[in-house]
Amino acid sequence: MKCIFCNCTDSRVVDSRPTEDGAIRRRRECERCGRRFTTYEKIETLPLLVIKKDRRREPFDADKIRRGLVKACEKRPVAIADIEALVNEIEMAMLNSMEQEVTTQRIGEMAMEGLRKLDEVSYIRFASVYRQFKDIQSFMHELSQLLAENAPSGEKEQEKER
C-alpha cells in the first residue's frame, strides 16, 4: 500500500476491523516516515447473471433457489440447515466457476442432484415442477430411473435381464 504522505510502498498494518458494509478498515503505519493512515478494502465480486429458458438474463438470486427447495421439502424430514447448505453449495459452485452467466438448466440440475441425496420424495417433487412432465409416462420414467439407481446390485442385474 502506498503511503499518502511520502509515497513509500512499505507499510505495516497496525489494526484491522470489519465495517458495517462488509469492507475491512485497516490502520497502517508507513515504514519510511512513520505516519499513520487508514485504508478500506472490499472484496470485488463479479455480477452473476442467470440465462432463463426464454434467453432473458437476470441477476442470480439464491433466494429463488431456497424458496423452490423449501417448497419441495415441505412436510418432509429435511432440516432447514440441510437446505441452506445445499443453497450455499450451489451458490459457491456458481461463483467459483468464474463464469459471469449460468443457465437455469445448470442451476436446476445441481439442485436436483443435491435433493436426490437429501430426500428422494423432495427430489421427485422438485423434478416434477422443474422438468414439467407432460404426462404420467415421463413421470414414471423418472421414478423408474430413481428406483434403478437405488436398487441393490442383485436387483439391478435382474432388472437388466428383463
Side-chain angles (χ1 to χ4, degrees), residues 31-48:
E31 295 289 329
R32 184 188 301 156
C33 69
R35 295 179 75 179
R36 291 186 175 188
F37 57 98
T38 303
T39 60
Y40 293 89
E41 297 176 19
K42 189 163 187 165
I43 296 172
E44 184 177 64
T45 58
L46 295 173
L48 182 61

Side-chain angles (χ1 to χ4, degrees), residues 39-144:
T39 60
Y40 293 89
E41 297 176 19
K42 189 163 187 165
I43 296 172
E44 184 177 64
T45 58
L46 295 173
L48 182 61
L49 296 177
V50 176
I51 303 171
K52 308 292 272 184
K53 288 180 183 176
D54 64 1
R55 309 303 294 161
R56 285 183 300 117
R57 285 162 171 73
E58 64 181 49
F60 177 80
D61 184 4
D63 285 334
K64 284 187 175 183
I65 299 169
R66 185 177 294 105
R67 285 191 301 271
L69 294 175
V70 167
K71 190 73 172 166
C73 296
E74 244 176 39
K75 298 181 183 178
R76 296 294 305 155
V78 179
I80 289 292
D82 292 337
I83 294 171
E84 202 57 44
L86 179 55
V87 170
N88 289 338
E89 181 182 317
I90 293 168
E91 186 172 17
M92 290 311 301
M94 296 298 105
L95 294 173
N96 289 337
S97 72
M98 300 305 287
E99 296 174 15
Q100 287 186 286
E101 296 182 332
V102 63
T103 63
T104 55
Q105 179 180 0
R106 183 165 171 214
I107 295 170
E109 294 297 328
M110 289 181 73
M112 285 195 304
E113 187 59 37
L115 276 176
R116 184 186 306 235
K117 295 172 188 170
L118 284 178
D119 183 67
E120 293 170 346
V121 172
S122 299
Y123 162 75
I124 290 296
R125 284 179 179 171
F126 189 90
S128 68
V129 173
Y130 176 73
R131 292 218 172 114
Q132 298 174 342
F133 296 128
K134 302 289 184 222
D135 55 25
I136 194 73
Q137 296 297 1
S138 54
F139 185 74
M140 289 303 294
H141 177 71
E142 188 71 29
L143 279 175
S144 298

